[in-house]
């Protein structure tokens, strides 16, 4: 084994962050034989110190980027996936520090993988909870009156299971959804929101993580997560002709409209059952957080959008909102440096973003 190999150092460094700190779901780690020599205590100490340099947010972001990259580029070598995830997540100084420590300690990929189970299973260094990805989605559905390009969905109310599960938060045990293996990166966010009564499944044991999220469903999630209904003294009436007063989402949409969070696809239509797009989701989220006095987007600069190759595809009405969420690390881009503003969002992705917003709100109370 050539310990001075740049390739091995590069892979070992990235695996320390992406595999040792947060094992990447769907990628089988090489099995280490019990007959092979154990990793030295000195190297274990170096690995532990490097892991401690990564914040929970950085660890989650590393896993998100790695998983998204693997889904979009299945033929890309794992070492390149992990390396890119680390380099694109942490600041350059921290990246160089980790790289230097790996080189000085002569840590190889074999060392990293041998230590993997011990590090992640140790009670002293529990694995961080993944928050992640935003996978590719589909067509355009604008959030402002000027834009109206997405196909209309039949006006049938969403199942009652999409409404918050229990007004008495935390009084019910978290359901055991059997389909969360389709989105393991969203499991913790989903279970937390269900336990808090903000989110529910489509059946007792099904969450349907890859199903699309409608505009009405996401509006309700935002209002409930940030308790924005408490900011409106008198129950408003939705200013849209395609929403009936007895629709389960009517009050939430009316509240969102009064607070300036939504504006509909035209002056009179909200299109509640249309799938929400990433730029719509970003715009609504940022406006909801501003209504909750958590962030300000009025003077938000859009320089942070330069990291996205498709920044010119982000609608002008959504640019400051996307920039604000990106700046706060609440919303990430997709693989290949893309944001994917016109892609549809699924239930797992919406749960992850709502969970981040919910956590942000509690941290800033």
């Amino acid at each position: 084994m050539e310990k001075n190999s740049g390739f091995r150092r590069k892979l070992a460094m990235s695996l320390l962050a992406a595999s040792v700190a947060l094992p990447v779901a769907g990628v089988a780690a090489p099995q280490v034989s019990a007959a092979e020599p154990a990793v030295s205590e000195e190297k274990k100490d170096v690995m532990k110190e490097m892991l401690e340099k990564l914040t929970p947010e950085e660890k989650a972001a590393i896993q998100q980027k790695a998983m998204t990259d693997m889904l979009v580029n299945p033929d890309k070598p794992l070492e390149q996936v992990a390396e890119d995830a680390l380099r694109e997540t942490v600041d350059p100084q921290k990246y160089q520090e980790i790289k230097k420590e790996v080189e000085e300690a002569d840590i190889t990929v074999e060392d990293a993988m041998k230590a993997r189970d011990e590090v992640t299973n140790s009670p002293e260094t529990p694995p961080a909870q993944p928050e992640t990805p935003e996978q590719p989605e589909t067509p355009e559905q604008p959030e402002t009156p000027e834009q109206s390009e997405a196909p209309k969905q039949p006006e049938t109310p969403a199942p009652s299971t999409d409404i918050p599960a229990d007004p008495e938060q935390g009084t019910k045990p978290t359901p055991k959804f059997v389909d969360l293996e389709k989105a393991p990166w969203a499991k913790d966010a989903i279970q937390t929101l269900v336990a808090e009564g903000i989110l529910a499944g489509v059946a007792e044991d099904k969450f349907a993580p890859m199903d699309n999220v409608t505009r009405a469903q996401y509006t309700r999630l935002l209002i409930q997560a940030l308790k924005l209904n408490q900011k409106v003294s008198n129950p408003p009436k939705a200013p849209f002709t395609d929403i009936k007063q007895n629709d389960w989402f009517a009050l939430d949409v009316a509240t969102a409209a009064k607070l300036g969070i939504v504006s509909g696809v035209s002056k009179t239509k909200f299109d509640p059952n249309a799938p929400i797009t990433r730029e719509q989701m970003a715009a609504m989220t940022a406006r909801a957080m501003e209504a909750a006095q958590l962030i300000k987007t009025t003077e938000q600069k859009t320089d942070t959008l330069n990291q996205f190759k498709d920044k010119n595809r982000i609608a002008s009405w959504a640019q400051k909102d996307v920039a604000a969420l990106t700046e706060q690390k609440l919303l990430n881009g997709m693989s290949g440096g893309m944001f994917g503003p016109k892609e549809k969002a699924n239930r797992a992705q919406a749960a992850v973003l709502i969970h981040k917003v919910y956590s942000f709100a509690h941290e800033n109370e």
Side-chain angles (χ1 to χ4, degrees):
M1 176 168 59
E2 211 174 318
K3 294 205 172 185
N4 290 323
S5 164
F7 170 83
R8 288 188 180 279
R9 295 185 192 290
K10 180 178 182 182
L11 179 52
M13 176 177 59
S14 56
L15 283 172
L16 280 170
S19 290
V20 180
L22 274 172
V24 180
V27 177
Q31 296 299 309
V32 179
S33 168
E36 294 182 13
V39 183
S40 70
E41 291 301 319
E42 182 181 352
K43 287 186 178 182
K44 287 180 184 178
D45 289 341
V46 173
M47 291 182 200
K48 183 178 179 181
E49 288 175 6
M50 284 190 284
L51 294 178
E52 289 174 347
K53 288 184 178 181
L54 296 170
T55 65
E57 292 77 15
E58 287 173 332
K59 292 177 183 178
I62 287 168
Q63 187 190 33
Q64 173 177 339
K65 287 182 179 295
M67 286 191 64
T68 304
D69 201 359
M70 283 187 294
L71 288 170
V72 178
N73 302 298
D75 297 326
K76 189 174 182 179
L78 174 59
E79 65 272 9
Q80 190 61 53
V81 170
E83 170 69 5
D84 290 347
L86 179 66
R87 176 168 41 79
E88 293 173 11
T89 301
V90 304
D91 63 69
Q93 182 177 352
K94 184 182 292 187
Y95 173 80
Q96 291 301 327
E97 287 177 1
I98 293 176
K99 180 176 181 180
K100 183 179 179 182
E101 289 177 359
V102 169
E103 291 176 349
E104 290 179 350
D106 265 337
I107 297 172
T108 66
V109 60
E110 287 85 357
D111 295 328
M113 298 315 294
K114 284 178 186 177
R116 177 178 180 272
D117 290 338
E118 182 174 343
V119 173
T120 55
N121 292 330
S122 167
E124 294 181 1
T125 55
Q129 299 297 320
E131 292 183 357
T132 173
E134 284 151 287
Q135 303 163 10
E137 307 125 42
T138 1
E140 177 173 356
Q141 171 66 34
E143 173 50 33
T144 56
E146 297 76 30
Q147 310 268 336
S148 180
E149 300 177 12
K152 304 287 182 180
Q153 302 294 315
E155 284 189 33
T156 54
S160 59
T161 48
D162 278 320
I163 305 175
D166 193 338
E168 297 182 30
Q169 298 184 357
T171 59
K172 285 187 176 181
T174 304
K176 301 292 184 182
F177 298 125
V178 299
D179 55 355
L180 294 187
E181 72 279 358
K182 297 177 181 178
W185 40 268
K187 183 176 180 180
D188 293 311
I190 291 169
Q191 291 181 333
T192 298
L193 293 178
V194 169
E196 292 295 330
I198 296 171
L199 188 62
V202 299
E204 186 175 346
D205 62 345
K206 297 285 179 65
F207 183 76
M210 308 315 290
D211 284 3
N212 290 335
V213 179
T214 69
R215 289 163 53 80
Q217 290 167 353
Y218 193 73
T219 301
R220 181 165 178 82
L221 285 175
L222 276 176
I223 297 300
Q224 296 298 317
L226 294 175
K227 299 180 181 178
L228 292 173
N229 52 329
Q230 298 176 7
K231 288 187 172 291
V232 179
S233 53
N234 298 315
K237 182 179 179 181
F240 305 111
T241 58
D242 56 353
I243 294 181
K244 300 181 180 66
Q245 191 171 355
N246 61 349
D247 284 335
W248 58 266
F249 51 81
L251 184 57
D252 299 296
V253 173
T255 300
K258 187 166 185 177
L259 293 175
I261 298 168
V262 299
S263 55
V265 297
S266 73
K267 291 182 178 180
T268 58
K269 301 286 185 181
F270 182 71
D271 205 3
N273 298 303
I276 195 168
T277 64
R278 281 170 55 80
E279 65 184 2
Q280 288 175 359
M281 189 165 68
M284 289 170 61
T285 303
R287 295 169 191 173
M289 293 183 74
E290 188 160 19
Q293 298 182 332
L294 294 172
I295 63 173
K296 289 185 178 181
T297 63
T298 311
E299 299 179 1
Q300 175 68 47
K301 296 182 179 179
T302 58
D303 294 353
T304 187
L305 299 182
N306 292 334
Q307 64 185 287
F308 302 126
K309 295 178 182 177
D310 56 351
K311 66 176 184 178
N312 292 332
R313 295 187 64 234
I314 301 174
S316 58
W317 47 264
Q319 287 181 4
K320 285 188 176 181
D321 300 316
V322 174
L325 295 190
T326 304
E327 186 113 348
Q328 294 293 334
K329 300 188 184 303
L330 295 171
L331 192 62
N332 297 306
M334 297 166 64
S335 180
M338 308 294 280
F339 178 72
K342 315 302 180 185
E343 308 294 342
K344 292 176 184 175
N346 60 43
R347 286 168 56 84
Q349 294 162 1
V352 169
L353 180 55
I354 289 292
H355 181 258
K356 288 182 179 180
V357 169
Y358 181 74
S359 300
F360 187 94
H362 279 269
E363 290 169 3
N364 290 275
E365 282 182 343

